[in-house]
Amino acid sequence: MKTMADVKTNKLTLVQAVTDGLRTMMKEHDDVLVLGEDVGKNGGVFRATDGLVDEFGEDRIVDTPLAEAGIIGTSIGLAINGFRPVAEMQFLGFIYPAYEQIMTHASRIRTRTMSRFNVPMVIRAPYGAGIRAPEIHSDSVEALFTHMPGIKVVVPSNPYDAKGLLIASIEDPDPVLFMEPMRSYRSIKSDVPEEKYTVELGKGAKVTEGDDVTVIAWGNMVAVAQKAVEKIEKEQGVSCELLDLRTLYPLDKDIIAESVMKTGRAVIVHEAPSTGGVGNDVLSIINDNAFLYLRAPVEKVAGFDTPIPFFSLEEDYLPTPDRVLKSIENVVTF
């Protein structure tokens, strides 16, 4: 059996891991192609497609007009005709013109045609605040898409998962929204195998094992929660189990329920506004499966119910390690 020690790896950032995942799948499958604004010679706004047009040509790395609905509509047509398109939104906040295409066509064609047709396409979308971007560039609106059955929503938090989840998303027979945390694009590096591998969609991961409280996060907020977990363990001896959900639809109900049944306490962390956020679905899973095990009310640390503010107030909006730490203290001392 092959172990990680036997696998050749490279130290990659998250965005480099995305590029590696795209390259891996384009080498293996001629039907995989990339569409988006400036994805060709410019390599994408964050350089996620840098160099791919030289390697695969303009027929497979396709620069499109500034028309998000057109990018998604074209991708849907390609997908039901035998291709596996990967559409790039420059920012998640730019996806709104394409919302109608995603919600009334991409997510429904399988049920509408009783599985005669399916839509194997991926929509890559950088998201989140913390990079000092202007209005609409920092939205975190995952809940708009988790509400609609028919499209999976995936959010990696580290380079290894980014490559493995992206490959699994491209191989998935149905549409996937692949949200990439911009703040984490170049903030961390980790070992990423050169070879092809997948990370299963719909499965969360334990970042740390613990006994006193379960902390649940995804995307950018995993790193924020991890700082709080490390601090309270070091200073107060509180043992925290940190979960990275990785896929927001479908949610990994088992890992959430089993962890909270063990610890009896939970803190949910996300940067989207609190009202209508995915945190409420996580709360529902805890109530349905682990309510009788709870020793304290579940706490939620989220963004505020306001549009993401301009960058001078961005840090006041985002959950911080101190806010997460305070909630952990609240549930432990309840």
Side-chain angles (χ1 to χ4, degrees):
M1 180 178 176
K2 189 182 285 188
T3 67
M4 278 299 285
D6 303 319
V7 176
K8 191 171 183 181
T9 62
N10 294 310
K11 287 274 187 193
L12 299 181
T13 63
L14 195 151
V15 71
Q16 288 172 331
V18 168
T19 311
D20 197 25
L22 289 171
R23 178 179 287 109
T24 299
M25 289 302 285
M26 295 190 76
K27 280 182 177 176
E28 184 171 302
H29 300 284
D30 291 339
D31 56 4
V32 176
L33 64 162
V34 174
L35 303 85
E37 298 155 5
D38 297 325
V39 297
K41 291 188 186 238
N42 284 341
V45 67
F46 290 101
R47 305 295 178 263
T49 55
D50 193 26
L52 296 183
V53 71
D54 297 329
E55 201 168 344
F56 300 103
E58 293 181 350
D59 288 341
R60 297 184 64 194
I61 304 292
V62 183
D63 272 327
T64 67
L66 297 173
E68 284 75 14
I71 296 169
I72 299 303
T74 302
S75 298
I76 293 169
L78 287 164
I80 63 176
N81 282 283
F83 293 91
R84 280 185 271 191
V86 180
E88 178 179 298
M89 296 287 105
Q90 287 195 330
F91 296 86
L92 182 64
F94 293 1
I95 205 169
Y96 307 129
Y99 194 69
E100 190 271 340
Q101 290 281 354
I102 297 168
M103 303 305 273
T104 63
H105 299 295
S107 64
R108 294 172 186 260
I109 285 175
R110 180 183 282 281
T111 52
R112 183 180 294 155
T113 65
M114 299 181 73
S115 292
R116 285 185 62 212
F117 296 101
N118 60 310
V119 184
M121 62 180 282
V122 175
I123 306 167
R124 294 183 39 248
Y127 86 99
I131 65 164
R132 304 294 189 264
E135 187 186 14
I136 308 178
H137 292 64
S138 304
D139 288 7
S140 181
V141 289
E142 57 268 31
L144 294 180
F145 300 92
T146 58
H147 187 68
M148 184 66 187
I151 182 167
K152 298 179 180 71
V153 180
V154 176
V155 189
S157 68
N158 60 74
Y160 180 90
D161 285 353
K163 179 176 177 180
L165 287 168
L166 180 58
I167 291 174
S169 298
I170 296 171
E171 290 185 334
D172 196 273
D174 294 303
V176 175
L177 175 62
F178 192 82
M179 295 174 51
E180 299 167 8
M182 289 187 290
R183 197 173 192 179
S184 303
Y185 260 158
R186 293 179 172 83
S187 62
I188 48 174
K189 276 191 172 185
S190 63
D191 289 327
V192 176
E194 287 187 355
E195 63 186 32
K196 178 185 173 184
Y197 65 95
T198 58
V199 174
E200 185 177 1
L201 305 185
K203 294 292 182 185
K206 288 181 185 177
V207 180
T208 61
E209 295 265 1
D211 298 316
D212 297 327
V213 57
T214 300
V215 181
I216 303 163
W218 55 89
N220 289 319
M221 290 299 108
V222 173
V224 172
Q226 193 160 15
K227 288 179 183 175
V229 164
E230 290 171 356
K231 186 172 183 180
I232 200 167
E233 286 187 342
K234 181 179 179 182
E235 296 180 357
Q236 302 182 41
V238 176
S239 173
C240 300
E241 187 148 286
L242 175 57
L243 304 183
D244 177 359
L245 292 184
R246 301 196 295 195
T247 299
L248 302 183
Y249 189 89
L251 281 167
D252 186 348
K253 297 178 181 178
D254 290 342
I255 197 171
I256 296 169
E258 288 169 8
S259 180
V260 177
M261 288 166 70
K262 180 176 75 170
T263 66
R265 304 176 180 89
V267 174
I268 304 162
V269 187
H270 64 68
E271 71 171 275
S274 180
T275 298
V278 175
N280 296 347
D281 294 314
V282 177
L283 260 170
S284 178
I285 291 169
I286 294 171
N287 277 337
D288 289 347
N289 296 277
F291 180 76
L292 295 179
Y293 295 82
L294 288 175
R295 302 179 192 176
V298 178
E299 291 237 350
K300 189 169 62 173
V301 184
F304 300 107
D305 287 343
T306 173
I308 309 292
F310 290 117
F311 53 80
S312 61
L313 296 173
E314 213 170 35
E315 296 302 328
D316 296 317
Y317 170 88
L318 285 168
T320 62
D322 285 343
R323 284 177 62 193
V324 178
L325 192 147
K326 178 62 180 171
S327 283
I328 295 173
E329 289 177 336
N330 289 344
V331 299
V332 170
T333 60
F334 178 77

